[in-house]
Amino acid sequence: MKLLHAFLALAAATMLAVAPARAVDLSIVSGDTGSGIKVLREMLDQYEKQSGNKVNIVVMPPSTTDQFGQYKLWLAAGNTDIDVYQTDVIWAPQLASQLVDLTAATKDVVAKHFPSIIQSQTVDGKLVALPIFTDAPALYYRKDLLDKYGAKVPTTWKELADAAKLVMDKERAAGNKDMWGFVFQGNAYEGLTCDALEWVMSNGGGQIIEPDGTVSINNPKAAAALDMVKGWIGTISPPGVLAYQEEESRGVWQTGNAVFMRNWPYAYALGNGADAPIKGKFDVAPLPAGTGEGARPVATLGGWNLAVSKYSKNPDAAIDMVKFIASPEMQKYRTLRTSNLPTIQALYDDADIAKEQPIIPRWKEVFLNAAPRPSATVKIKYNEASSQFWTAVHKTLSGEGSAADNLADLEVTLTKLKGSGW
């Protein structure tokens, strides 16, 4: 904490700027998991001192599906109460027409970010959102329990299922009746699209919709991947996992009642919190691969950005705030507090981050396996396509029809949605 406080003082000093002649009130809308909102408030307190402006956080539910739906309603209504939106990496093509072009205002800072992330937020040559952190999930595992029972860190889904059952059964026999083998995000929402894309792609089953626009999801490898996961429900994974989002998964994991968990980087810092029962007992590895031709580890690319509403009454002040939050100093502050992955390339070699959050430099291996959802291909139809996908997956995992039948129906639905083209 001494390091963090020292850094905070340094950041405030280095970023001190002349306050604007007229202070304004701004609103930023954000949903987050873990301590994300708390840390955002800390950063905004620093911005308020530097700028003289006041900033209100409009807090959203953690479900990205719920967030996107509300954003669409506000923007369609020309809502002037919201100045800045925190946006998922996949939303740029769908919201671009309602957002301010940041290209000119950020030309002095974009080169510091990963080019691929900047490109993901660029629509028709216009930068519509500035990255604040990126995301790629990993496999969290209880290293103490694997060592206890002589199990290895799994590199395939079969190895994960075998190790999960071994450790779960032995722990339950020893008296821990609440122990489960594997928790993930199984609810019917965008998070399930992320998880299921990993299962399908890692099994050689394609990207749901390929970069050339082809609907590819109806294939035996994709069906086999979903059948595999269906077999986990009630065996190594709790039946309730079909209602889990990120925080429900973390709740089971962080209380010490799961051997493995699929989740995003934010869960690392929280799991090592002073009062966490699993502090010092876990580690992370790349997500497992499937089996057969085309099998490889896959992690769905995530990430969050800040966009300025074109209906903002104070767009210049809003852009100033966005640049502040996305700056190297504030990205470093966020990473030290939350273990979120920075989008500033240089921070992966930062000594303070390596000391306080040693997992960050190591997450590069996970990041190399990251695969995007097909939002760039599907464009404004992505939300509907993703909804159809996660619905078919959730039906399969819930026992409502076979994977093969549900994916065949999904192919028909997506083909109709595509029409003459995406």
Side-chain angles (χ1 to χ4, degrees):
M1 289 304 292
K2 288 182 179 179
L3 173 63
L4 188 59
H5 291 151
F7 168 71
L8 181 56
L10 177 62
T14 57
M15 300 187 68
L16 192 61
V18 178
R22 182 179 65 85
V24 301
D25 292 333
L26 298 169
S27 286
I28 180 172
V29 61
S30 174
D32 217 327
T33 48
S35 59
I37 295 295
K38 178 176 182 290
V39 173
L40 176 60
R41 182 69 262 172
E42 294 169 3
M43 296 163 72
L44 291 173
D45 288 346
Q46 298 173 57
Y47 172 71
E48 290 183 345
K49 291 178 181 178
Q50 175 244 271
S51 67
N53 297 330
K54 295 296 181 183
V55 187
N56 173 56
I57 301 176
V58 179
V59 179
M60 295 293 294
S63 167
T64 56
T65 303
D66 293 341
Q67 291 171 38
F68 182 79
Q70 185 60 63
Y71 284 17
K72 291 278 285 184
L73 290 174
W74 278 333
L75 288 167
N79 188 329
T80 59
D81 296 330
I82 304 298
D83 299 285
V84 174
Y85 290 86
Q86 183 166 307
T87 60
D88 197 340
V89 67
I90 58 174
W91 294 344
Q94 302 172 81
L95 302 180
S97 64
Q98 311 273 28
L99 304 175
V100 171
D101 181 5
L102 303 176
T103 306
T106 61
K107 63 183 179 182
D108 58 328
V109 299
V110 291
K112 297 176 182 178
H113 299 262
F114 286 109
S116 60
I117 300 176
I118 292 294
Q119 186 59 40
S120 75
Q121 300 307 296
T122 302
V123 180
D124 296 329
K126 299 176 181 179
L127 181 67
V128 297
L130 194 60
I132 53 173
F133 64 91
T134 189
D135 248 348
L139 178 69
Y140 287 72
Y141 64 92
R142 284 286 299 275
K143 58 185 180 182
D144 60 328
L145 294 180
L146 296 192
D147 289 345
K148 181 178 179 180
Y149 298 111
K152 296 180 179 179
V153 179
T155 59
T156 68
W157 292 114
K158 184 182 185 308
E159 289 175 358
L160 179 144
D162 291 344
K165 188 173 191 314
L166 169 72
V167 177
M168 181 184 78
D169 288 349
K170 288 187 175 296
E171 281 292 292
R172 288 186 174 190
N176 187 355
K177 302 299 184 184
D178 294 325
M179 179 62 74
W180 286 97
F182 183 42
V183 290
F184 54 90
Q185 294 75 54
N187 201 343
Y189 77 121
E190 183 65 26
L192 182 55
T193 288
C194 296
D195 286 48
L197 177 64
E198 292 157 3
W199 303 328
V200 170
M201 282 193 71
S202 70
N203 208 46
Q207 295 179 245
I208 310 169
I209 299 163
E210 301 304 312
D212 67 359
T214 303
V215 177
S216 63
I217 188 59
N218 183 21
N219 67 81
K221 290 183 177 180
L226 298 189
D227 283 335
M228 169 189 72
V229 178
K230 181 180 178 182
W232 298 342
I233 310 300
T235 56
I236 61 170
S237 300
V241 78
L242 294 175
Y244 286 8
Q245 297 184 19
E246 284 81 0
E247 285 293 85
E248 290 80 10
S249 303
R250 185 176 68 86
V252 175
W253 161 261
Q254 195 163 311
T255 52
N257 291 320
V259 184
F260 297 105
M261 174 182 70
R262 180 268 185 206
N263 217 327
W264 305 92
Y266 85 98
Y268 186 86
L270 294 169
N272 275 319
D275 59 347
I278 58 171
K279 176 180 170 64
K281 298 179 180 179
F282 70 93
D283 208 340
V284 299
L287 290 167
T291 55
E293 185 179 353
R296 64 181 180 88
V298 174
T300 301
L301 180 65
W304 290 88
N305 315 271
L306 294 180
V308 176
S309 168
K310 75 174 187 179
Y311 309 110
S312 170
K313 295 177 181 178
N314 298 288
D316 291 341
I319 292 171
D320 178 64
M321 179 176 69
V322 165
K323 292 180 71 174
F324 180 94
I325 298 172
S327 68
E329 293 84 359
M330 287 299 99
Q331 287 212 18
K332 178 175 178 177
Y333 180 80
R334 185 194 297 273
T335 299
L336 289 171
R337 295 282 277 117
T338 66
S339 68
N340 285 134
L341 305 179
T343 67
I344 304 290
Q345 300 183 60
L347 292 179
Y348 285 82
D349 299 315
D350 184 276
D352 295 335
I353 289 175
K355 179 180 179 182
E356 292 291 309
Q357 300 286 5
I359 196 61
I360 298 299
R362 289 177 48 208
W363 217 283
K364 276 186 176 179
E365 183 182 0
V366 175
F367 197 63
L368 290 174
N369 294 322
R373 285 160 278 179
S375 57
T377 302
V378 181
K379 300 174 185 173
I380 62 171
K381 297 179 182 179
Y382 174 78
N383 194 52
E384 177 63 20
S386 180
S387 175
Q388 294 294 339
F389 176 62
W390 84 56
T391 298
V393 173
H394 196 267
K395 285 177 61 178
T396 301
L397 303 188
S398 303
E400 299 177 32
S402 68
D405 288 345
N406 287 334
L407 293 185
D409 291 344
L410 177 62
E411 180 183 34
V412 172
T413 301
L414 292 180
T415 301
K416 288 181 180 177
L417 180 65
K418 178 181 178 181
S420 60
W422 297 112

